[in-house]
Amino acid sequence: MRVSDIVRKVRYELAEPTASEWKDDELVSYLNDGFASAWRLAAELHHPLVEQTDDVTILAAANSVQLPSPPLKMISVTLDAALLPYEHPGDLPTREYSKIEMWTVEGLDTLRVWGTPEEETTLTVRLVREPDVLRLEASTLTDDEVPMPSSVLELLVNFVIMKAQNRLGGRPQMEASLYQQYKRDVMRALEIREPPLVTCNGYWIPAPKGW
């Protein structure tokens, strides 16, 4: 579903097919508010929807590289399929390493490693990037896809509707309650449900109903 689809659904429910009380920019700002919240909740739940894997190259004799985008959360860094340990920026090792041994993030988007490789070295980074700002711009024909499952998209539509309606009433208590309910609904929608598992000769299998 694209931004324009959500705006169209919202306008239908508001009985305002063309912009009058609510301009498109206002509705899109509400959409971005709800989308960013859902994205961060998905990151907290370790949902694969928001995780991405990138290869970054450390140049010979270098010990840092810029990440493809500022991360909301770093998950792991691997070298030759081996996980590298994370080190807090405040606990810098004092001795030198002849190969890459650990990593941290400096600033907004710089991956720093301990160990100076003698040749170009590729690291695999798994992270959650900051949520995108969704756009709907007629002048540039921009109409972004909203990267969420259908269950969350419907919640987003309702979120924008309630934000728009509450703006007319201006009741902060209602808005706070709206946010809390929206977050609970999104977490239920994004919950990854796995069947109970039991072991059987070294293999994991779904447990029969009632076990």
Side-chain angles (χ1 to χ4, degrees):
M1 188 180 293
R2 294 190 174 277
V3 174
S4 61
D5 298 320
I6 290 181
V7 169
R8 192 178 304 112
K9 283 175 173 283
V10 168
R11 289 202 177 282
Y12 176 80
E13 295 297 329
L14 294 174
E16 186 183 75
T18 57
S20 176
E21 179 65 45
W22 296 278
K23 304 299 183 185
D24 282 352
D25 286 350
E26 180 183 358
L27 298 180
V28 173
S29 73
Y30 296 154
L31 170 59
N32 273 301
D33 193 6
F35 171 71
S37 179
W39 185 272
R40 291 187 171 92
L41 287 171
E44 290 179 18
L45 293 170
H46 310 288
H47 199 291
L49 171 75
V50 297
E51 297 178 1
Q52 69 181 60
T53 301
D54 295 302
D55 287 337
V56 296
T57 300
I58 302 283
L59 299 178
N63 57 16
S64 65
V65 64
Q66 188 172 18
L67 295 167
S69 57
L72 172 65
K73 181 174 72 172
M74 292 288 291
I75 300 170
S76 65
V77 176
T78 58
L79 171 61
D80 297 330
L83 282 172
L84 294 174
Y86 168 81
E87 186 70 36
H88 190 275
D91 300 324
L92 305 180
T94 55
R95 74 181 189 87
E96 294 293 328
Y97 291 91
S98 58
K99 61 180 182 177
I100 296 176
E101 296 284 352
M102 58 189 70
W103 63 275
T104 193
V105 175
E106 294 181 339
L108 293 176
D109 59 357
T110 299
L111 177 67
R112 166 83 153 83
V113 299
W114 278 270
T116 305
E118 296 181 355
E119 57 186 19
E120 286 189 0
T121 303
T122 299
L123 302 175
T124 300
V125 178
R126 190 153 184 81
L127 55 82
V128 178
R129 70 177 188 274
E130 289 284 353
D132 295 330
V133 176
L134 303 172
R135 299 173 301 161
L136 176 61
E137 298 173 0
S139 61
T140 59
L141 301 180
T142 302
D143 186 8
D144 289 336
E145 187 79 27
V146 184
M148 282 288 159
S150 58
S151 55
V152 176
L153 291 173
E154 291 305 317
L155 294 173
L156 273 170
V157 170
N158 292 332
F159 177 84
V160 176
I161 292 169
M162 287 186 285
K163 284 274 287 186
Q165 291 175 332
N166 190 59
R167 192 262 287 168
L168 296 180
R171 299 172 61 183
Q173 300 89 345
M174 182 177 293
E175 183 145 331
S177 176
L178 160 66
Y179 267 105
Q180 293 305 315
Q181 185 59 51
Y182 172 70
K183 289 180 179 180
R184 287 192 292 268
D185 292 342
V186 169
M187 290 190 77
R188 281 195 292 268
L190 291 174
E191 183 182 7
I192 300 176
R193 296 174 176 81
E194 297 178 348
L197 300 176
V198 294
T199 56
C200 179
N201 296 327
Y203 295 96
W204 288 97
I205 60 173
K209 186 176 181 181
W211 283 22

